[in-house]
Amino acid sequence: DTGVTQSPTHLIKTRGQQVTLRCSPISGHKSVSWYQQVLGQGPQFIFQYYEKEERGRGNFPDRFSARQFPNYSSELNVNALLLGDSALYLCASSLGGGQIETQYFGPGTRLLVL
Amino acid sequence: AQKVTQAQTEISVVEKEDVTLDCVYETRDTTYYLFWYKQPPSGELVFLIRRNSFDEQNEISGRYSWNFQKSTSSFNFTITASQVVDSAVYFCALLVSGGYNKLIFGAGTRLAVHP
């Protein structure tokens, strides 16, 4: 079985630009979560989506947005990039619909903002 | 407040040594779930184990074992006879559920196993 896939693997942007990151969940999983991991820290929750609906949002500014498609893949968009947005962005998938589920992570996208 | 503390920033051991990674959590919930993930240099978080708050039975899986103690709010992870391939950053996480599932991670412990 294919695990969670993310694209691109690496990205370099300049301040003020916009970026779109993509995630495909494990086959059969309907829920996708996004996390930001700044160097040297643990991942921080950004969003969770289930059946194309936003289920939860972490403490991130409105510059961060996401969506989920009918095939359960997801995109994370970040506008007006700041230097502090440089991080590893991790996508996690879970079955969805259940109360407590294990989240399985993809390899991440490393974003560098110059 | 929900919080996970991993006080050990870095641990360095020689191959075949046993090593324990500490995790202390804070939550007001009576039902909660704890996880351990491993992050090798490639960056992907690899799921290792999940425990719920009403099952304090310790678990052993090969060279890995976990000691869950509610009385001290700890969920420690031990690697027996460590190997170079165990070198990674290990994260303890608390699952917060309230309409959606959110993992709260500790800062991680970097384990270096030297030959």
Side-chain angles (χ1 to χ4, degrees):
Chain A
D1 279 347
T2 304
V4 179
T5 59
Q6 292 186 244
S7 63
T9 54
H10 295 79
L11 208 48
I12 299 176
K13 293 286 189 178
T14 55
R15 279 179 299 175
Q17 285 189 312
Q18 175 263 341
V19 68
T20 298
L21 312 181
R22 296 176 176 82
C23 171
S24 291
I26 293 170
S27 177
H29 284 195
K30 298 181 178 180
S31 182
V32 169
S33 301
W34 287 96
Y35 291 79
Q36 180 197 64
Q37 186 180 14
V38 173
L39 193 64
Q41 297 180 19
Q44 298 287 321
F45 173 79
I46 310 176
F47 288 111
Q48 185 175 77
Y49 274 77
Y50 172 65
E51 292 283 10
K52 298 182 291 180
E53 300 274 332
E54 180 184 303
R55 284 294 186 89
R57 183 186 183 113
N59 189 23
F60 280 81
D62 292 343
R63 298 186 296 107
F64 288 76
S65 63
R67 55 179 176 167
Q68 187 178 33
F69 299 98
N71 66 353
Y72 305 110
S73 67
S74 176
E75 286 183 353
L76 174 69
N77 295 286
V78 186
N79 293 322
L81 285 166
L82 304 174
L83 297 180
D85 295 330
S86 295
L88 177 67
Y89 288 85
L90 293 161
C91 172
S93 81
S94 55
L95 282 168
Q99 194 163 11
I100 301 297
E101 297 174 342
T102 298
Q103 296 181 19
Y104 297 92
F105 287 80
T109 294
R110 294 186 187 275
L111 171 65
L112 177 61
V113 182
L114 300 175
Chain B
Q2 320 269 13
K3 185 179 177 183
V4 175
T5 301
Q6 295 179 255
Q8 304 152 306
T9 306
E10 291 190 35
I11 299 176
S12 182
V13 299
V14 176
E15 214 171 12
K16 297 184 184 175
E17 281 187 38
D18 297 348
V19 57
T20 295
L21 310 181
D22 297 334
C23 172
V24 174
Y25 60 92
E26 292 177 34
T27 180
R28 290 198 185 101
D29 293 346
T30 53
T31 301
Y32 51 89
Y33 293 77
L34 296 162
F35 295 76
W36 276 94
Y37 285 87
K38 172 182 179 180
Q39 188 174 45
S42 60
E44 181 174 347
L45 280 168
V46 179
F47 165 71
L48 295 177
I49 191 170
R50 156 182 150 177
R51 301 297 284 171
N52 61 55
S53 55
F54 36 91
D55 183 2
E56 286 193 71
Q57 187 174 8
N58 293 324
E59 182 159 337
I60 298 174
S61 175
R63 295 184 299 107
Y64 296 169
S65 63
W66 289 269
N67 183 4
F68 177 34
Q69 292 194 334
K70 286 179 73 172
S71 61
T72 55
S73 297
S74 65
F75 185 41
N76 297 336
F77 172 33
T78 297
I79 301 175
T80 303
S82 60
Q83 299 176 0
V84 173
V85 293
D86 295 327
S87 297
V89 181
Y90 291 85
F91 289 97
C92 180
L94 172 67
L95 184 74
V96 175
S97 182
Y100 64 97
N101 292 339
K102 171 175 110 172
L103 285 168
I104 296 176
F105 286 86
T109 298
R110 181 176 298 277
L111 173 65
V113 181
H114 302 282

